[in-house]
């Protein structure tokens, strides 16, 4: 066993015992221990890996799928210490059924806190409401953040570097703080541990019908939705969204769901649209290797507004942040014989701009929007018209670049 973590665990236990094992005080106790003995300054990562691989005397290891992987480095009946490796960023917004603190041992992350306002339970495992970001910032190596169990601490942690490694001091479980909801912005909270086996099998069977392009697919989905409750209907809609759009059947299907569920259904379309946007960005990021471009895509995934993105860029890169974003956009612009795109934003086909001039016009419009729409939008060929700006803005708003307009 690693001596540093053994001693860290003993210190946590002694300080918590002095406070009569108060659950409310555990996050600050854990943070205080990290502040006094920061793992980032005291842990030899190579030695830790070798010791874990070669020494059989290790704490009990869980079957958890959390982490890539998770190493339990100290275990106590009341709490344990884990080292979590992360090879990919995650966009999950979630709360916890445990408390403690985490410390960035290596790498950096985008960390955000949220509130879920106006919550409305639909079932024990599904809620609707309004998810609002409270704050967002960069966590560098050596940072420590307390974890408070329950809905008062909703957060996301997107890991920027590969690997990113965290050390977590945490309780096993805090009774009465569940379910451990995952939040789908901007309006839905789901219990990820709730397993509706019938709905799972139905989605899998619908996937088969999609794969073989069964012509009855849209009608079957609409018939299912007519008989399902809101929660199960939401997951069927989510599962079929892409294929129904491909078939041109999405709007009719969604309208039928909205007629059935009334005001409650207003939460569905914005949430599903955001799921598509995030999935698109995650897919693009998996194929991008340039470090700065991956950082830009991570910001688009996690930061909700132009101001948030500009602030985070300014903290990592010198110079005006808008200029940095425009440089990235230019580097990620693709030009074909007939069209221009920045990521998944397509230059409007109805604008009478020659293909060779489209990149400059697109970037000029983006510069204008990054400045909050102030002044005049100009390219090398002159000022952009109001109609042209409106069309370019609509294209950006439909794309993964949408936060830059907000």
């Amino acid at each position: 066993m690693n001596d540093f973590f053994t001693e860290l665990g003993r210190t946590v236990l002694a300080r918590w015992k002095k406070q009569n094992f108060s659950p409310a005080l555990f996050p600050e106790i854990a943070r205080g221990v990290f502040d006094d003995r920061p793992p980032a300054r005291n842990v030899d990562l190579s030695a830790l890996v070798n010791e874990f691989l070669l020494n059989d005397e290790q704490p009990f290891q869980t079957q958890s799928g959390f982490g890539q992987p998770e190493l339990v480095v100290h275990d106590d009946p009341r709490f344990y210490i884990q080292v979590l490796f992360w090879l990919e960023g995650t966009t999950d917004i979630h709360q916890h059924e445990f408390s403690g603190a985490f410390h960035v041992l290596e790498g950096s992350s985008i960390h955000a806190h949220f509130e879920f306002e106006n919550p409305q339970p639909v079932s024990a495992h599904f809620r609707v409401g309004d998810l609002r970001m409270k704050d967002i910032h960069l966590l560098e190596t050596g940072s420590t953040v307390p974890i408070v169990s329950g809905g008062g601490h909703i957060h996301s942690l997107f890991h920027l570097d590969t690997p990113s490694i965290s050390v977590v001091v945490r309780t096993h479980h805090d009774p009465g703080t569940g379910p451990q909801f995952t939040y789908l912005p901007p309006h839905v909270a789901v219990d990820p541990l709730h397993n509706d086996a019938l709905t799972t099998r139905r989605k899998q069977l619908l996937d088969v019908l999609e794969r073989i392009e069964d012509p009855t697919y849209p009608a079957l989905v609409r018939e299912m939705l007519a008989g399902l409750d809101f929660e199960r209907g939401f997951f069927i809609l989510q599962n079929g969204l892409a294929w129904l759009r491909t078939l041109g059947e999405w709007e009719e299907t969604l309208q039928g769901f909205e007629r059935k569920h009334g005001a409650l259904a207003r939460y569905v379309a914005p949430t599903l649209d955001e799921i598509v946007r995030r999935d698109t960005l995650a897919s693009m990021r998996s194929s991008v290797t340039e470090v700065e471009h991956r950082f830009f895509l991570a910001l688009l995934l996690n930061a909700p507004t132009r101001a948030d993105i500009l602030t985070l860029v300014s903290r990592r890169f010198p110079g005006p942040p808008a200029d940095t974003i425009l440089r990235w956009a230019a580097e990620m612009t693709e030009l074909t014989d007939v069209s221009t795109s920045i990521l998944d934003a397509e230059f409007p086909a109805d604008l009478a701009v020659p293909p060779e001039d489209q990149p400059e016009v697109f970037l000029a419009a983006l510069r204008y929007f990054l400045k909050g729409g102030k002044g005049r939008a100009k390219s090398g060929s002159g000022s952009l018209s109001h109609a042209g700006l409106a069309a370019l803005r609509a294209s950006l708003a439909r794309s993964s670049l949408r936060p830059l307009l907000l």
Side-chain angles (χ1 to χ4, degrees):
M1 293 184 288
N2 185 280
D3 291 339
F4 172 80
F5 289 114
T6 298
E7 185 59 34
L8 198 74
R10 289 172 179 167
T11 303
V12 171
L13 180 62
R15 293 186 185 182
W16 199 16
K17 183 178 180 181
K18 285 184 179 180
Q19 300 298 330
N20 296 312
F21 298 110
S22 166
L25 296 179
F26 189 71
E28 286 304 318
I29 290 169
R31 177 161 68 174
V33 172
F34 278 142
D35 289 344
D36 292 344
R37 295 290 306 281
R41 297 181 187 173
N42 292 280
V43 173
D44 182 331
L45 185 58
S46 178
L48 171 66
V49 169
N50 288 343
E51 192 273 340
F52 192 89
L53 290 173
L54 300 174
N55 186 352
D56 282 346
E57 295 184 12
Q58 300 295 336
F60 177 78
Q61 301 300 306
T62 75
Q63 297 294 320
S64 169
F66 196 63
Q68 298 166 324
E70 171 209 50
L71 310 182
V72 176
V73 292
H74 181 81
D75 190 30
D76 181 89
R78 297 178 184 271
F79 69 95
Y80 62 101
I81 303 176
Q82 57 187 174
V83 175
L84 299 174
F85 291 74
W86 298 104
L87 301 178
E88 295 292 338
T90 173
T91 59
D92 283 350
I93 302 169
H94 57 279
Q95 64 187 66
H96 293 291
E97 288 186 90
F98 61 84
S99 56
F102 71 89
H103 176 89
V104 183
L105 177 61
E106 187 169 294
S108 59
S109 304
I110 298 173
H111 186 234
H113 285 110
F114 299 82
E115 288 181 336
F116 195 56
E117 300 174 337
N118 309 311
Q120 181 179 347
V122 176
S123 72
H125 311 286
F126 193 102
R127 295 178 181 176
V128 295
D130 301 303
L131 188 69
R132 183 180 66 84
M133 182 178 287
K134 295 164 55 180
D135 58 71
I136 185 169
H137 52 275
L138 290 174
L139 293 182
E140 304 289 357
T141 297
S143 301
T144 298
V145 177
I147 302 169
V148 179
S149 55
H153 183 87
I154 303 170
H155 76 144
S156 67
L157 193 65
F158 190 93
H159 305 287
L160 295 170
D161 302 309
T162 303
S164 289
I165 306 172
S166 303
V167 180
V168 185
V169 173
R170 52 159 293 179
T171 57
H172 291 277
H173 176 72
D174 293 354
T177 60
Q180 190 167 284
F181 282 110
T182 292
Y183 294 83
L184 308 176
H187 295 305
V188 171
V190 300
D191 178 0
L193 300 181
H194 175 60
N195 181 25
D196 179 356
L198 178 59
T199 297
T200 298
R201 291 292 181 256
R202 283 172 166 170
K203 291 191 297 182
Q204 291 170 342
L205 187 56
L206 286 170
D207 291 344
V208 173
L209 298 182
E210 175 185 336
R211 182 70 178 269
I212 65 175
E213 300 187 7
D214 188 301
T216 67
Y217 181 99
L220 276 172
V221 169
R222 287 195 280 269
E223 188 174 352
M224 287 178 66
L225 293 173
L228 289 175
D229 57 276
F230 184 87
E231 178 181 350
R232 292 186 295 168
F234 174 86
F235 291 119
I236 295 299
L237 280 174
Q238 180 185 1
N239 187 74
L241 169 61
W243 185 235
L244 288 167
R245 280 183 170 170
T246 299
L247 297 174
E249 300 279 358
W250 170 248
E251 292 300 329
E252 182 180 347
T253 303
L254 177 63
Q255 289 168 7
F257 184 84
E258 291 173 339
R259 285 193 297 270
K260 176 179 173 64
H261 295 286
L264 196 61
R266 72 184 185 276
Y267 297 106
V268 171
T271 301
L272 293 179
D273 285 343
E274 180 63 9
I275 289 172
V276 171
R277 189 188 75 89
R278 287 169 168 255
D279 287 348
T280 299
L281 274 166
S283 177
M284 287 190 288
R285 194 172 186 270
S286 68
S287 63
V288 171
T289 57
E290 209 287 326
V291 173
E292 291 190 15
H293 294 173
R294 286 175 60 82
F295 179 74
F296 181 41
L297 294 176
L299 294 182
L300 294 172
L301 265 168
N302 292 275
T305 70
R306 177 177 64 252
D308 293 318
I309 293 173
L310 291 171
T311 297
L312 292 171
V313 171
S314 69
R315 291 176 182 172
R316 180 164 279 206
F317 298 95
D323 291 350
T324 302
I325 291 173
L326 286 167
R327 172 172 61 81
W328 291 336
E331 293 167 350
M332 303 177 83
T333 296
E334 294 187 1
L335 176 64
T336 69
D337 292 338
V338 295
S339 67
T340 297
S341 62
I342 305 175
L343 296 178
D344 57 336
E346 297 284 344
F347 193 91
D350 56 348
L351 291 186
V353 177
E356 63 272 17
D357 294 334
Q358 290 178 6
E360 184 181 1
V361 172
F362 218 166
L363 291 169
L366 181 58
R367 181 184 298 109
Y368 174 77
F369 297 132
L370 282 171
K371 293 180 179 180
K374 298 177 181 177
R376 300 179 68 184
K378 296 181 180 180
S379 69
S381 56
S383 298
L384 303 180
S385 68
H386 290 298
L389 279 173
L392 290 163
R393 182 183 178 87
S395 176
L396 292 168
R398 291 190 299 268
S399 78
S400 300
L401 295 165
R402 184 174 65 206
L404 296 176
L405 306 177
L406 303 177

